[in-house]
Amino acid sequence: MGLEIERKFLVNHVKWAATEKPKAEFYRQGYLLTDPNKTIRVRATDTKGFMTIKGKSEGATRAEFEYEIPKEEAIQLLNMFAVSDLTKYRYKTVFAEKLWEIDVFLGENEGLIVAEIELSSEDEIFDLPDWAMEEVTGEKKYYNSNLSTLPFKQW
């Protein structure tokens, strides 16, 4: 079984703006199923598509199965079957030998920036970049599936 161990942090807008960044990739993702115990997500990036099934979060860990699919099929699935969706730019950057994924949300979630780091265990020690602020791991309102139905601008 695939496992995802992920921690999330809010990002300081001023410090992030001043940070040298790699090129961002545009993501459109939608949910075929959003349930507290499981989600089924379809994602279209600039070049690829993905189907992802995630289980219930227990701490920072949950079951995750992700499969690459053709981008065109991802777009068709999003257009035909998504019950909710969102868009964002994702930046991937390495800090202290760890990959960080920073999501700058668009549309109804504009103004929200969240950084994620995947770990090999929940108790793994890592360094925080200066742009990482408050940890929001486990706060359900920051789950992408929830942002797709109750966007940041509606809080």
Side-chain angles (χ1 to χ4, degrees), residues 3-152:
L3 285 179
E4 172 186 62
I5 303 170
E6 177 180 84
R7 292 182 53 189
K8 292 184 178 209
F9 297 83
L10 296 179
V11 172
N12 179 297
H13 289 227
V14 173
K15 290 180 179 178
W16 177 247
T19 300
E20 188 173 323
K21 304 173 221 16
K23 184 178 184 291
E25 189 168 21
F26 178 77
Y27 281 28
R28 177 181 172 208
Q29 63 189 48
Y31 293 85
L32 309 185
L33 175 69
T34 58
D35 177 284
N37 296 312
K38 56 189 167 281
T39 60
I40 301 174
R41 177 187 76 205
V42 174
R43 175 182 283 163
T45 71
D46 290 335
T47 58
K48 299 177 181 179
F50 297 91
M51 170 83 66
T52 307
I53 302 165
K54 295 188 179 195
K56 182 179 180 180
S57 292
E58 310 232 353
T61 305
R62 63 182 163 180
E64 179 186 60
F65 301 89
E66 184 166 76
Y67 307 95
E68 187 173 333
I69 61 175
K71 178 183 176 181
E72 297 74 24
E73 289 183 20
I75 292 169
Q76 287 179 324
L77 289 167
L78 287 165
N79 290 340
M80 295 172 64
F81 300 110
V83 295
S84 61
D85 68 350
L86 58 79
T87 54
K88 61 188 178 182
Y89 285 109
R90 175 164 282 179
Y91 296 85
K92 295 181 181 181
T93 188
V94 175
F95 177 81
E97 300 180 20
K98 288 287 184 190
L99 177 65
W100 287 81
E101 296 177 333
I102 299 86
D103 290 339
V104 178
F105 289 89
L106 303 170
E108 288 299 301
N109 289 298
E110 187 174 352
L112 180 63
I113 305 175
V114 176
E116 303 173 346
I117 183 172
E118 287 201 22
L119 305 169
S120 54
S121 69
E122 285 207 24
D123 58 356
E124 183 177 346
I125 296 170
F126 58 94
D127 294 322
L128 281 177
D130 70 345
W131 40 258
M133 300 187 325
E134 172 188 354
E135 183 168 6
V136 294
T137 302
E139 290 190 39
K140 292 181 171 69
K141 69 181 181 179
Y142 292 103
Y143 292 2
N144 282 266
S145 59
N146 290 334
L147 288 169
S148 73
T149 57
L150 183 58
F152 179 66

